[in-house]
Amino acid sequence: MKKNLLLMMWAMLPLCAMAYNLRHVSVHDPSVVWDPSTQYYYIFGSHRASAKSKDMSSWTTFTAAWKTPTSNNASNTAAFKTNQTKTVTINGNEVTFGNFDAYAWSAAYGNGYNIDGNMWAPDVIYNTAMQKWCMYLSINGPSWNSSIILLTADKADGPYMYQGPIVFSGFNVTSTAGVSYKKTDLELVIGEQTSLPSRYNVGTSWGDRWPHCIDPCVFYDEEGKLWMSYGSWSGGIWMLELDENTGLRDYNVTYSIKGSGNGVTSDPYFGKKIAGGYYVSGEGSYIEHIGDYYFLFISYGGLAAGGNTSDYNNGGYQMRYFRSETPDGPYKDANGVDAIFPTYRLNFGHKATDNRGVNIFGAYGEWGKQTVGDWSERSQGHNSILAAEDGRTYLVYHTRFQNRGEAHEVRVHQVFQNEDGWLVAAPFEYTGEQVKSADIATTQQIATGNIPGEYKLLTHKYRLNHTTKELATPVEIQLNHNGTISGGVSGTWSIQEGTSYINLIISGVTYKGVVVEQTLEKSTQTAVSFTAMAKNGVSIWDITPGHSLE
């Protein structure tokens, strides 16, 4: 199967008018949200790392406090012990919710458990019915004994108070009583049990079948229903419908049993599987409705920078995406391949046997004014994406670098839809460019006569060798006035007059995308930016030094 291709090309303009205002921060697993009352964008990440910005380019860090009935600045060990929600409504009846000590659940095995490094990947959303900011946070345990919990606040930056759990993983009857299903909400969902149903009693083989309850993403669908996707590697990515009035699980929604063994795709407690499974890599799901579709992002591979020659799976984060017309799927890529795996397949690294999911971009260097030397990006992932109220769509992710160890920082790229509705990412960071998503279909941002010139072409491929820290670097090509492409590749190019859509045919493959102006990072110089994708996948970007548009 040929690889998917995302195509991005640039021609330098003379001097730009845009202000350089980048201030980077280190927030792992950044989830982005907009607060209209403060006019700030906020990003929330693992282990309480957070930041805010007025412009999506200059960020300032902060820490959201935890709240309890006796403290507005509770410790990590005290904040998640007592949930404030005491009852829930199930089938019209008010039922005692009980107390669920999320800290005790994850610390059940002892062995020096430290919660400080186990508060993973929160997602924050404003709940309009509750008129509260809702944080969905993973409390991770060492042996699948994790939970996703809800905390609420009156302000986006906190303090946040624990309301109750959404879902638990890792319960069984063969190990310590601290992870008994009796300590979870399982019986609220499936009814009282005299023993743990055999389908859940899998002990240390939990990850072969069931999801790990971390990495939540919560979103409203176009009908106003509230959903949560979650999961990491192992049993795949799953989906639950939430109660809009409480922010907790909707206990009135039922799920049937579908599939068996490791091939289960629906379960009364865990909900509906929408991606992954069979221990295939994939984590950090994020869903956003853009245009006519729900887009599902998943990060494949390991989060490390790579370079471990003893393990070809080391590192390799790549952001892949799928889309669906309905919030709970099915999610498919541009080739029509489902995000759910039917069996184990290696889906990242230079020995991958499966390349499903549109690869929006990957590791690259020697690019523009920023990504040279130590700034070359690699292992980009665990992203969020926001179709913002300002009319733009932003891709927010963390990245590691070619020569900076495991140091990581947040990056933001503007994203557009091509004429077929697929997403393509602007090749440089967002630095205040004025083009909006709707402008692409209605205005021609760059005159046709300003496109021909000498370019450097950067190809993002799927099967990167992360043991050698392989990355994409550019080669020289030319876009000619007669509509041909020559140099390192051959083909043709054309613009849809009156729009910003561009079509390129390279080696017989058609790429559809958009052309806009951008600022070259680490400078105030602008560039004409082409970004496009083919049905079959791989990304390419382009830059042209010394090309005058006069």
Side-chain angles (χ1 to χ4, degrees):
M1 181 179 69
K2 291 184 177 179
K3 301 170 184 174
N4 270 338
L5 197 58
L6 173 67
L7 187 68
M8 303 187 178
M9 302 187 173
W10 300 340
M12 284 189 183
L13 292 175
L15 290 175
C16 91
M18 296 177 190
Y20 170 71
N21 191 35
L22 291 173
R23 183 188 299 160
H24 296 127
V25 291
S26 295
V27 177
H28 212 264
D29 312 325
S31 173
V32 65
V33 68
W34 163 252
D35 182 1
S37 66
T38 63
Q39 298 289 293
Y40 270 106
Y41 296 95
Y42 294 88
I43 50 176
F44 295 88
S46 292
H47 321 315
R48 302 184 73 177
S50 305
K52 61 183 180 180
S53 172
K54 289 279 190 180
D55 58 12
M56 290 292 275
S57 61
S58 180
W59 295 92
T60 302
T61 60
F62 73 95
T63 301
W66 304 136
K67 183 178 182 179
T68 67
T70 58
S71 174
N72 283 332
N73 191 23
S75 69
N76 296 332
T77 56
F80 318 121
K81 286 180 171 295
T82 306
N83 47 272
Q84 299 306 301
T85 301
K86 304 303 180 185
T87 62
V88 293
T89 301
I90 303 177
N91 298 323
N93 299 312
E94 190 173 71
V95 178
T96 299
F97 194 43
N99 188 67
F100 302 95
D101 186 336
Y103 170 76
W105 180 259
S106 291
Y109 291 99
N111 298 321
Y113 176 80
N114 186 349
I115 194 173
D116 293 348
N118 282 293
M119 297 170 290
W120 285 99
D123 191 33
V124 173
I125 188 172
Y126 184 75
N127 186 304
T128 55
M130 299 170 66
Q131 296 188 28
K132 294 281 188 179
W133 289 95
C134 292
M135 175 186 287
Y136 295 84
L137 176 66
S138 312
I139 307 298
N140 190 43
S143 186
W144 311 107
N145 53 315
S146 302
S147 63
I148 295 172
I149 64 173
L150 166 65
L151 303 99
T152 64
D154 293 323
K155 298 180 180 180
D157 57 358
Y160 282 88
M161 179 178 283
Y162 174 39
Q163 299 301 320
I166 308 298
V167 63
F168 290 87
S169 59
F171 44 82
N172 59 70
V173 296
T174 59
S175 62
T176 176
V179 288
S180 166
Y181 71 96
K182 292 289 185 179
K183 294 182 178 291
T184 76
D185 66 338
L186 177 66
E187 291 180 304
L188 284 177
V189 179
I190 66 172
E192 188 172 348
Q193 306 290 309
T194 56
S195 63
L196 181 66
S198 60
R199 62 190 286 103
Y200 304 123
N201 190 15
V202 293
T204 57
S205 298
W206 183 274
D208 295 342
R209 179 182 304 178
W210 299 119
H212 191 192
C213 289
I214 64 173
D215 294 357
C217 169
V218 177
F219 66 99
Y220 284 100
D221 69 15
E222 293 301 282
E223 304 301 321
K225 293 182 179 180
L226 195 62
W227 301 81
M228 185 184 78
S229 66
Y230 69 101
S232 175
W233 288 58
S234 57
I237 308 298
W238 291 66
M239 180 87 80
L240 287 170
E241 191 171 336
L242 305 183
D243 184 338
E244 295 80 36
N245 295 307
T246 66
L248 299 171
R249 179 192 184 114
D250 191 334
Y251 289 96
N252 297 296
V253 176
T254 60
Y255 305 88
S256 59
I257 297 175
K258 293 182 180 179
S260 60
N262 296 350
V264 62
T265 58
S266 180
D267 177 74
Y269 183 70
F270 293 110
K272 181 179 180 181
K273 183 188 290 185
I274 59 171
Y278 288 96
Y279 242 104
V280 172
S281 86
E283 61 186 21
S285 65
Y286 203 90
I287 297 174
E288 181 82 347
H289 188 268
I290 303 169
D292 297 327
Y293 300 96
Y294 296 90
F295 287 88
L296 165 65
F297 276 83
I298 304 174
S299 294
Y300 287 170
L303 56 79
N308 182 351
T309 56
S310 66
D311 180 7
Y312 68 84
N313 284 345
N314 178 257
Y317 244 15
Q318 279 189 337
M319 295 175 285
R320 310 276 182 91
Y321 75 83
F322 305 80
R323 76 182 187 187
S324 173
E325 294 181 350
T326 55
D328 59 345
Y331 283 93
K332 297 184 178 182
D333 66 13
N335 283 319
V337 179
D338 200 294
I340 297 176
F341 280 74
T343 185
Y344 174 78
R345 293 171 185 171
L346 184 61
N347 63 341
F348 70 101
H350 67 293
K351 296 186 177 182
T353 59
D354 191 296
N355 288 326
R356 73 187 64 199
V358 176
N359 179 22
I360 200 160
F361 56 83
Y364 62 92
E366 300 179 21
W367 188 241
K369 300 291 186 179
Q370 178 186 359
T371 49
V372 293
D374 291 352
W375 289 97
S376 297
E377 290 188 17
R378 64 177 309 102
S379 295
Q380 305 101 319
H382 206 119
N383 69 283
S384 53
I385 188 166
L386 177 66
E389 292 184 10
D390 68 0
R392 299 175 183 87
T393 301
Y394 300 103
L395 180 71
V396 182
Y397 63 96
H398 74 249
T399 182
R400 283 168 169 77
F401 304 93
Q402 189 71 0
N403 299 311
R404 294 171 62 188
E406 296 304 321
H408 56 85
E409 291 178 348
V410 173
R411 294 292 185 268
V412 179
H413 287 236
Q414 200 168 350
V415 173
F416 306 101
Q417 287 184 282
N418 69 10
E419 63 176 311
D420 293 336
W422 291 98
L423 301 180
V424 290
F428 286 122
E429 286 188 76
Y430 175 75
T431 55
E433 289 82 3
Q434 296 302 299
V435 62
K436 298 182 178 181
S437 299
D439 296 336
I440 301 304
T442 59
T443 63
Q444 186 167 346
Q445 297 288 310
I446 306 297
T448 305
N450 286 340
I451 294 174
E454 295 180 354
Y455 289 77
K456 288 187 176 180
L457 179 69
L458 187 66
T459 302
H460 293 286
K461 65 178 184 178
Y462 285 92
R463 293 184 175 96
L464 293 175
N465 187 338
H466 302 293
T467 68
T468 60
K469 300 181 78 170
E470 179 185 4
L471 43 65
T473 56
V475 297
E476 294 183 358
I477 67 167
Q478 255 189 331
L479 268 63
N480 303 308
H481 284 278
N482 65 359
T484 62
I485 302 172
S486 57
V489 299
S490 61
T492 61
W493 65 272
S494 63
I495 294 290
Q496 292 189 29
E497 298 292 335
T499 76
S500 296
Y501 293 131
I502 186 170
N503 290 336
L504 304 102
I505 301 176
I506 298 176
S507 300
V509 179
T510 299
Y511 309 98
K512 296 182 178 182
V514 303
V515 53
V516 295
E517 184 182 18
Q518 262 205 295
T519 306
L520 301 180
E521 303 150 7
K522 296 293 183 183
S523 77
T524 56
Q525 193 172 25
T526 57
V528 176
S529 164
F530 298 78
T531 171
M533 63 159 288
K535 275 191 173 182
N536 53 12
V538 179
S539 314
I540 51 181
W541 291 349
D542 224 348
I543 232 180
T544 176
H547 171 47
S548 174
L549 299 188
E550 297 178 341

